[in-house]
Amino acid sequence: MRDRYSLMKLILLMARFWLSIALALLWPAFETAAASDTGYSALAEITADNVKQLNLVFSFKLSSGSGYASTPQMAGNTLFVLTPFPHTLYALEAFGDTAGSVKWRYSPEANPAATPLLPSGPSALGPVLAGDAVYFNTLDGHTIALEAASGRIKWDRKTADLSAGETLGSAPLAVGNAIVIGNAGDDFGARGWIKALGSDSGRELWRKYSTGPDSDVGIGPSFRPFYETHNGPDLGTASWPPDAWQHGGGTVSGMLSYDPDLNQIVHGTGHPAPSNPEQRLGDNRWTSGLLARDSVTGMARWFTALNPHDQYGFGATNVNVLADREWKGTSRQLLLQANGNGFVYVLDRQTGEVLSAAPFAPVNAITAIDIRTGMLRQNDAKSVHGDTPVRDICPAAPGASIGAPAYSEQSGLLFIPASFLCMDVRMQPVSYMTATPYSGVTRRLKPIPNHPRGAVIAWDIEKARPAWILPEAFPLEGGVLATAANLVFYGTLDGWLRAADSRNGKVLWEYRTISQIAGQPVSYIGPDNRQYVAVVAGLSSGGGAIADVDIDRRDLTAGNGFANALPDLPRPAEAGGRLYVFRLP
């Protein structure tokens, strides 16, 4: 009996061994730029000399919908693509004669009540791959884990409350045995939070808020902000009118960053609510700033305000780039952000100290940033007050950059997708009602005379100035991919995927897609040892949404004011989205 038991145990151990080998072969390590905090790919088969030969390998038609900002993800021989709400996650065959065929698809049940809560900015909900699972968020507030090989559901958790104006706006972040997510809903007065879920079960491990008492925010003995102005008891309530923090915005709707060296998560917080600043006097902590948290407990380590009180709705949820490099002769762990207020920030990510802040776009709302104190110097002539219109505020909300930048380890340049627009603003009183717009602001966006409406900017981090600027006809809402072969790939709202020389900004190749590009291109290597580039095209949920046939462009405030700024934006050739995959011959 004992020998039989030993034999069965040996067989079981051998079965587990060969299963692990099989899984390793099915799901090998993969590289996509989207999985990186830097938007950089070390692949170099596609070069400045041969990029003109880039050909379409296949395309895959996706469903209709607004909000295409998802980035495809690659694992093994499978390409994963998520459509906008109501979502479908596709697992596609990536290579060979069957490339573009569907391995499996999953469409979760959709709650139509989420449709009016669609964020005004990009909503990139995933997918994210970790281990043998694929994770994604849904606009209607669910976080879902599926088996990557089969699409079988592992767990589905309701994580955001639609009745409180909450949705989910960004992809999950896999950290150890946790999946970390943040909510969206600043424009509806949702109170911002970030939470960690167990990756195997979806059970909530911890939750911290962006407003409220220190115990809610996660402020304790480990909280050591660089700037003294961020020290004090319960500033998350004291810097607000009574009880206003309870529906004060500050949601965690942007991309989350994990720093394994410091074992911390860094995230931005959204703008405060309502958008009318006269109804929320004070600095409105801890909105429109950067928070560093212990990745295991969620407890706060430091906070740096980028737009305190935030008159204009810029927030601080732009993509953070983590870069280790020399700074002024010393090796530093840096955080780079091209903020909506038009300034590129360089911070020490150990402490939150602002090392540099310089404008990359036309700016008149802010005259300068004092890096000694971290405080903004406001232009009083552009401050909003009462119901008097304030004209020609630059930049326009939601900001001078909303897409993901890319940082090249070779050149040390940060490639920023930029939006060059200004705005006229008028305030009016607004009352809070759950799950209804809570703004109090009317905006009309406008171009800048004799100036392009968008550009790719190659930003020299050390010199705090552009190395070159590549102008575009429309604002850029998608991200940038930089490669080791001195190329940058990016997409436009009029449907062009372009490749430029990262050394001088010269466009070397372009391809016209059927719709807008508001996501980030990615690059990966196949089993044929060839380099591929993939991107998704489809109607955006930002400024590009005014190209929707259902929006009346005669209303100059339509689309959060973009109708006035982009009257010539072409309608997409197709109503739906499409995945494109390219390779050299």
Side-chain angles (χ1 to χ4, degrees), residues 237-286:
T237 60
S239 60
W240 292 84
D243 299 328
W245 57 271
Q246 296 181 14
H247 40 77
T251 62
V252 187
S253 58
M255 189 172 175
L256 306 173
S257 299
Y258 174 57
D259 186 342
D261 292 337
L262 300 177
N263 195 30
Q264 72 181 13
I265 295 165
V266 183
H267 68 86
T269 54
H271 67 77
S275 297
N276 185 339
E278 293 193 324
Q279 293 186 228
R280 45 172 177 79
L281 299 179
D283 280 350
N284 310 135
R285 307 271 173 73
W286 306 92

Side-chain angles (χ1 to χ4, degrees), residues 273 287 576:
T287 65

Side-chain angles (χ1 to χ4, degrees), residues 199-217:
S199 58
D200 58 344
S201 65
R203 180 178 60 87
E204 185 172 315
L205 305 177
W206 53 259
R207 182 194 308 208
K208 306 298 177 187
Y209 291 89
S210 302
T211 66
D214 288 350
S215 57
D216 286 5
V217 180

Side-chain angles (χ1 to χ4, degrees), residues 14-178:
M14 291 297 294
R16 288 178 177 174
F17 170 77
W18 287 111
L19 178 60
S20 66
I21 294 296
L23 288 173
L25 291 171
L26 284 170
W27 301 103
F30 63 95
E31 179 191 358
T32 64
S36 165
D37 285 331
T38 64
Y40 175 79
S41 170
L43 300 178
E45 181 193 1
I46 303 170
T47 69
D49 293 328
N50 63 27
V51 68
K52 288 183 179 180
Q53 304 173 40
L54 209 57
N55 289 329
L56 181 68
V57 178
F58 72 88
S59 69
F60 181 80
K61 185 173 175 57
L62 302 164
S63 62
S64 299
S66 176
Y68 270 99
S70 181
T71 300
Q73 294 291 321
M74 182 72 202
N77 61 351
T78 305
L79 198 56
F80 297 88
V81 185
L82 182 67
T83 72
F85 184 80
H87 308 287
T88 296
L89 178 64
Y90 289 94
L92 304 176
E93 185 69 50
F95 308 106
D97 295 338
T98 58
S101 62
V102 178
K103 289 186 171 184
W104 57 259
R105 72 187 74 188
Y106 178 78
S107 301
E109 183 178 351
N111 185 344
T115 302
L117 302 177
L118 185 69
S120 57
S123 183
L125 298 164
V128 169
L129 291 149
D132 63 351
V134 55
Y135 302 88
F136 65 100
N137 287 326
T138 68
L139 178 71
D140 57 355
H142 286 249
T143 303
I144 300 173
L146 305 176
E147 288 184 353
S150 66
R152 188 183 70 84
I153 188 165
K154 298 184 70 172
W155 51 261
D156 179 343
R157 296 285 186 179
K158 182 181 178 182
T159 49
D161 184 1
L162 294 181
S163 67
E166 295 179 1
T167 56
L168 298 176
S170 61
L173 173 70
V175 180
N177 295 321

Side-chain angles (χ1 to χ4, degrees), residues 545-546 548-559 563-564 571:
I546 66 157
D548 193 322
V549 294
D550 294 329
I551 291 183
D552 185 355
R553 299 194 199 184
R554 293 172 296 179
D555 177 3
L556 299 184
T557 64
N564 185 62
R571 307 281 189 191

